[in-house]
Amino acid sequence: MAGKIEARLKEIGIELPSPSQPAGTYVPYVISGNLVFISGQGPVGPNGLEFIGKVGKEQDVEAGKAAARLTMINVLAQLKAACGGDLDRVKRCVKLLGFVNATPDFDQQPAVINGGSDLLVEVFGDAGRHARSAVAAASLPFQMTVEIEAIFEIA
């Protein structure tokens, strides 16, 4: 039987992908005590990297938000793996760090990262509310538009 969080994901039309493998010398997540630290994830979809380029140039705020939402789906895929397939173990999201590949004059990083934050609240309710930083980057790996890392508390 699917858990409460899996049912919620299905209800909002999200099927989590298989978690991606690291593109370097690191692990996709680390569990320390009751915390799960998810390595930076990007907007990878069924067709590969789906959002590339800078917000404020090749991408606008709405595309950036969509990139952050897709990125959060990949964060959740890693979290599910870390929880042994049971997302009902998640007690809350503690912290997000969102990077936005942006032009030097772009200043709406929080609006872009809201695409990921909003999804967490949609999935987990109040347990999805978190502390957060949203910062601009001169570039990101593979020119992706957004990268997000996260910390979750689990049971």
Side-chain angles (χ1 to χ4, degrees):
M1 181 173 124
K4 177 181 152 192
I5 299 302
E6 287 288 337
R8 179 66 183 140
L9 287 167
K10 186 174 182 176
E11 181 181 310
I12 61 176
I14 293 176
E15 182 176 335
L16 296 180
S18 296
S20 64
Q21 295 302 307
T25 309
Y26 62 93
V27 293
Y29 59 85
V30 169
I31 300 172
S32 181
N34 63 343
L35 296 177
V36 178
F37 297 80
I38 307 289
S39 293
Q41 302 294 306
V44 177
N47 301 316
L49 194 55
E50 294 194 11
F51 294 88
I52 53 176
K54 294 185 180 298
V55 181
K57 187 176 179 186
E58 294 90 2
Q59 304 289 353
D60 62 14
V61 171
E62 289 307 309
K65 286 176 76 170
R69 183 177 175 90
L70 177 57
T71 298
M72 187 55 63
I73 290 170
N74 291 312
V75 168
L76 293 175
Q78 295 293 352
L79 180 61
K80 181 177 178 179
C83 290
D86 183 6
L87 286 170
D88 287 350
R89 290 181 58 198
V90 175
K91 291 176 88 172
R92 76 167 302 127
C93 181
V94 177
K95 171 82 174 175
L96 286 187
L97 176 54
F99 299 94
V100 180
N101 187 358
T103 58
D105 61 335
F106 184 77
D107 64 358
Q108 297 179 56
Q109 295 85 356
V112 169
I113 299 304
N114 278 345
S117 293
D118 291 347
L119 179 59
L120 284 179
V121 174
E122 192 175 356
V123 171
F124 293 105
D126 281 341
R129 297 190 187 283
H130 49 272
R132 185 183 84 180
S133 297
V135 298
S139 68
L140 289 173
F142 313 109
Q143 293 303 312
M144 68 178 83
T145 301
V146 171
E147 182 174 1
I148 297 174
E149 62 180 52
I151 303 169
F152 292 87
E153 180 183 6
I154 60 172

